[in-house]
């Protein structure tokens, strides 16, 4: 049976071993000597009596020591060693499923050339029916030029694929949409916009992920106000919304009304449209501090009277007794700890659902509505709800949809 995981260990640094029953004592001896924290989970032995033991370490150095020492001590008793992170990555993490029936010859005939010719001819004459007679309305392209994958420097596009696949799994679980990870190999930002144009016939929406903020901004500028398909990004439609909600909750938890709270935003350029979103969400007193700009300035002096510092660098040193909200885009909190820090997955699934359901682009008003939905969904005294909190995606989607309807005059006497 699996017990609770020790908070100091991290499943991202784990090893799974298969050993005969008599080797359990040797494994326990190795764990007792580990230079860091290690926890173990032992599954029931299989029919041959082999035990499968999963060992979670507290980081890469402990894991490396553990792997070396187990290999040396157990020898032939170490029947199999697996790294769960690479096992999960090797699956591709998600796959397509066949929706059409394929059991009988009649079923297959509906997927053959004559059947396709009828549907294609109809859509050529009536392109407005494409979403009715294809799977496009459920299909989302997850696009990255690999320019901002976590805290790495720019990567080869294929090296970014595991991170895109993980994001695709999270979005699929939250929305039910068919999400396709699509890394793009290009040194030219303009090619991202071209990729969006080329993919538009087959997808309802595209989401820019693990892409530098300035690349996102350039892509949106090239595509203009009416892109060829619904376009979202994990910064403006995800992380910025979560940071704004966390800011409001951080102030409220200290008894400070957002409309009267004094907030300092460190390195606003990293936040996309975050500054505007904070103001639109009710933060009336916002100071923008660029630590890398001309002169730099003195954060301690600027923020001495602040009620909250929102730090997008992860490096800011606040004045004493001024609380700080760390929200470095390159280093999101672990999923299980995301109630104490913002992640794009707090808001992005709901906004993506709203966009694909209404077939309308996300607006500033929809993002503000998503902020307030997150605030309302946060448990008392917490900073944020868990990203997978039941009903959260639906609540954000409903709030954003209402805002989009209002933007289009629906339910307000408009057409």
């Amino acid at each position: 049976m699996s017990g609770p995981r020790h908070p100091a260990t991290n499943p991202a640094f784990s090893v799974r071993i298969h050993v005969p029953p008599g080797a359990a004592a040797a494994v326990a001896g190795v764990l007792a000597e580990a230079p860091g924290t290690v926890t173990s989970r032992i599954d029931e032995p299989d029919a041959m009596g082999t035990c499968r033991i999963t060992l979670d370490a507290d980081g890469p150095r402990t894991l490396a020591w553990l792997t070396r020492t187990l290999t040396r001590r157990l020898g032939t008793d170490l029947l199999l060693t697996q790294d769960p992170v690479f096992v999960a990555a090797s699956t591709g993490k998600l796959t397509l499923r066949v929706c059409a029936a394929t059991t009988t010859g009649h079923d297959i005939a509906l997927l053959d050339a004559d059947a396709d010719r009828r549907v294609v001819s109809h859509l050529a004459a009536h392109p407005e029916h494409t979403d009715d007679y294809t799977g496009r309305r459920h299909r989302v392209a997850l696009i990255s030029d690999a320019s901002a994958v976590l805290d790495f420097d720019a990567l080869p596009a294929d090296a970014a694929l595991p991170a895109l696949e993980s994001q695709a799994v999270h979005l699929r679980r939250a929305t039910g949409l068919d999400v396709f990870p699509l890394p793009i190999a290009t040194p030219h930002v303009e090619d991202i916009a071209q990729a969006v144009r080329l993919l538009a016939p087959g997808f309802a929406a595209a989401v820019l992920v693990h892409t530098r903020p300035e690349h996102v901004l350039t892509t949106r500028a090239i595509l203009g106000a009416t892109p060829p398909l619904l376009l979202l990004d994990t910064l403006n439609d995800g992380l910025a919304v979560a940071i704004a909600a966390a800011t409001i909750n951080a102030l409220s938890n200290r008894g400070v009304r957002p409309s009267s709270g004094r907030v300092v935003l460190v390195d606003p350029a990293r936040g996309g449209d975050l500054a505007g979103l904070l103001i639109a969400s009710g933060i009336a007193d916002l100071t923008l501090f660029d630590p890398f700009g001309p002169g730099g300035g003195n954060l301690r002096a600027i923020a001495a009277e602040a009620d909250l510092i929102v730090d997008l660098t992860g490096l800011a040193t606040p004045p004493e007794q001024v609380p700080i909200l760390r929200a470095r885009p390159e280093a999101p909190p672990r999923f299980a700890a995301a109630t104490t820090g913002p992640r794009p997955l707090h808001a992005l699934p709901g906004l993506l659902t709203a966009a694909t359901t209404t077939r309308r682009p996300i607006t500033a008003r929809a993002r503000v509505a998503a902020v307030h939905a997150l605030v309302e969904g946060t448990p008392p005294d917490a900073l944020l709800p868990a990203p997978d909190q039941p009903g959260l995606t639906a609540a954000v989607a409903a709030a954003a949809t209402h805002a989009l309807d209002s933007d289009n005059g629906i339910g307000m006497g408009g057409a």
Side-chain angles (χ1 to χ4, degrees):
M1 295 293 292
S2 175
R5 185 175 55 80
H6 193 286
T9 60
N10 186 345
F13 303 101
S14 60
V15 60
R16 183 174 296 138
I17 61 174
H18 295 236
V19 297
V27 173
V30 171
L31 300 188
E33 300 174 18
T37 303
V38 181
T39 57
S40 63
R41 299 190 304 280
I42 304 177
D43 295 340
E44 294 293 331
D46 62 18
M48 302 296 293
T50 301
C51 295
R52 187 176 72 169
I53 306 174
T54 302
L55 306 172
D56 293 338
D58 57 8
R61 297 181 70 177
T62 301
L63 178 61
W65 180 92
L66 192 61
T67 303
R68 290 195 308 269
T69 307
L70 286 170
T71 302
R72 186 174 67 251
R73 297 276 184 88
L74 271 66
T76 57
D77 280 342
L78 191 59
L79 305 177
L80 179 66
T81 303
Q82 297 173 308
D83 188 319
V85 164
F86 287 89
V87 171
S90 68
T91 67
K93 300 175 186 174
L94 73 169
T95 187
L96 289 173
R97 62 186 179 90
V98 175
C99 298
T102 57
T103 305
T104 68
H106 190 278
D107 296 333
I108 298 299
L110 300 181
L111 307 176
D112 214 338
D114 288 338
D116 290 342
R117 188 174 290 108
R118 287 190 58 208
V119 180
V120 170
S121 297
H122 177 83
L123 294 184
H126 304 281
E128 71 277 9
H129 293 170
T130 300
D131 285 342
D132 297 325
Y133 299 122
T134 70
R136 181 174 69 178
R137 63 184 177 181
H138 302 294
R139 200 173 295 135
V140 176
L142 202 60
I143 298 174
S144 173
D145 66 352
S147 60
V149 182
L150 303 173
D151 51 5
F152 292 98
D153 293 329
L155 293 169
D158 49 2
L161 192 53
L164 266 69
E165 290 172 341
S166 291
Q167 290 291 312
V169 170
H170 286 303
L171 286 176
R172 166 67 186 182
R173 289 182 63 213
T175 67
L177 296 166
D178 296 323
V179 185
F180 292 78
L182 299 173
I184 297 174
T186 176
H188 305 295
V189 178
E190 297 79 6
D191 289 343
I192 304 176
Q194 180 65 4
V196 171
R197 292 193 188 99
L198 293 173
L199 291 169
F203 291 85
V207 179
L208 300 180
V209 57
H210 296 310
T211 299
R212 291 173 64 89
E214 55 268 33
H215 293 189
V216 172
L217 183 63
T218 299
T219 299
R220 287 186 176 276
I222 293 173
L223 293 173
T226 55
L229 79 172
L230 299 168
L231 183 63
L232 295 85
D233 67 86
T234 53
L235 180 57
N236 296 298
D237 300 301
L239 187 61
V241 176
I243 293 173
T247 299
I248 292 173
N249 284 331
L251 291 171
S252 299
N253 291 346
R254 299 182 63 240
V256 179
R257 295 177 59 186
S259 58
S260 59
R262 294 160 296 183
V263 177
V264 176
L265 177 60
V266 178
D267 200 8
R270 289 174 178 258
D273 294 333
L274 174 59
L277 183 59
L278 285 168
I279 293 172
S281 300
I283 304 299
D285 189 338
L286 180 65
T287 299
L288 306 182
F289 175 73
D290 181 2
F292 309 110
N298 187 327
L299 178 61
R300 288 180 176 271
I302 292 172
E305 302 299 323
D307 295 296
L308 181 69
I309 296 172
V310 179
D311 174 30
L312 304 185
T313 69
L315 302 172
T317 302
E320 291 185 8
Q321 299 187 4
V322 176
I324 187 165
L325 170 63
R326 306 279 187 186
R328 184 169 177 260
E330 298 88 347
R334 288 161 55 186
F335 194 86
T339 55
T340 60
R343 288 183 62 128
L345 290 166
H346 281 105
L348 181 61
L351 287 174
L352 181 59
T353 298
T356 55
T357 300
T358 64
R359 304 185 192 184
R360 300 191 193 106
I362 295 300
T363 62
R365 185 183 297 189
R367 291 179 183 134
V368 172
V371 170
H372 293 302
L374 285 180
V375 171
E376 292 172 6
T378 302
D381 300 321
L383 197 63
L384 285 164
D388 56 354
Q389 177 174 296
L392 181 64
T393 293
V396 172
T401 297
H402 179 74
L404 293 173
D405 288 344
S406 298
D407 285 337
N408 285 270
I410 297 176
M412 300 177 64

